[in-house]
Amino acid sequence: MHPGFHDRCAGGNQAALTALAYLRPKRFLDAYAGRRYAKRCEAICYTTATTRYGRVEAVDEATVAEIADLPTVYGVNLKLGPGEQMQPTVDLYSSTMRIFMCGADMAAIDRDHRRIEELKDRVYQLDRKGKGP
């Protein structure tokens, strides 16, 4: 999903390693055969859930920036944009954001996760006409 995130957390990513194995098999085998990755930090990919329903009018960029600026947040992927319909989350596909988080320990990730929970419903500004199914 995010090769740069995997590079940071594990020192490599499947896309680059697959390309290396295909294009330079000897170099790949010399560097990686029989070895395991070294975990560099704690990490999670957090997909946010919502109970809200309506058409997205706008994205609150200040709230997105506040989430992105949290110490353990590596990246924020918004899954909706203006004009799209938000519905209550029932599965992975109906989640509203994907947030890549990593840090020295899980306590730091947990702290920032709690803050994201406080902020996540401010990211999408919905129309007042949106009604539930």
Side-chain angles (χ1 to χ4, degrees):
M1 288 188 291
H2 202 306
F5 180 67
H6 296 153
D7 287 342
R8 180 169 181 186
C9 299
N13 69 77
Q14 291 176 340
L17 292 174
T18 299
L20 181 62
Y22 180 75
L23 297 171
R24 302 209 168 154
K26 181 172 178 357
R27 183 172 168 205
F28 174 81
L29 290 172
D30 290 346
Y32 297 101
R35 294 187 178 95
R36 296 180 182 191
Y37 75 92
K39 181 178 172 180
R40 294 182 172 184
C41 61
E42 299 296 332
I44 67 168
C45 177
Y46 170 49
T47 52
T48 60
T50 189
T51 59
R52 300 172 70 210
Y53 186 94
R55 188 179 58 79
V56 176
E57 286 188 341
V59 172
D60 184 334
E61 296 297 339
T63 301
V64 174
E66 187 172 347
I67 292 170
D69 287 343
L70 291 168
T72 65
V73 172
Y74 180 87
V76 177
N77 295 121
L78 302 179
K79 295 176 76 176
L80 299 170
E84 294 184 274
Q85 188 70 27
M86 178 185 285
Q87 60 187 9
T89 303
V90 295
D91 57 21
L92 183 62
Y93 296 108
S94 57
S95 66
T96 57
M97 291 183 286
R98 182 180 303 126
I99 303 171
F100 296 91
M101 304 175 72
C102 56
D105 56 54
M106 282 305 296
I109 292 172
D110 288 342
R111 180 197 62 235
D112 289 348
H113 177 267
R114 285 190 299 276
R115 182 64 181 143
I116 293 167
E117 281 291 308
E118 295 169 357
L119 295 170
K120 67 182 176 71
D121 285 333
R122 292 183 14 207
V123 169
Y124 296 104
Q125 305 301 307
L126 303 180
D127 68 7
R128 300 278 183 208
K129 299 174 209 162
K131 294 182 173 69

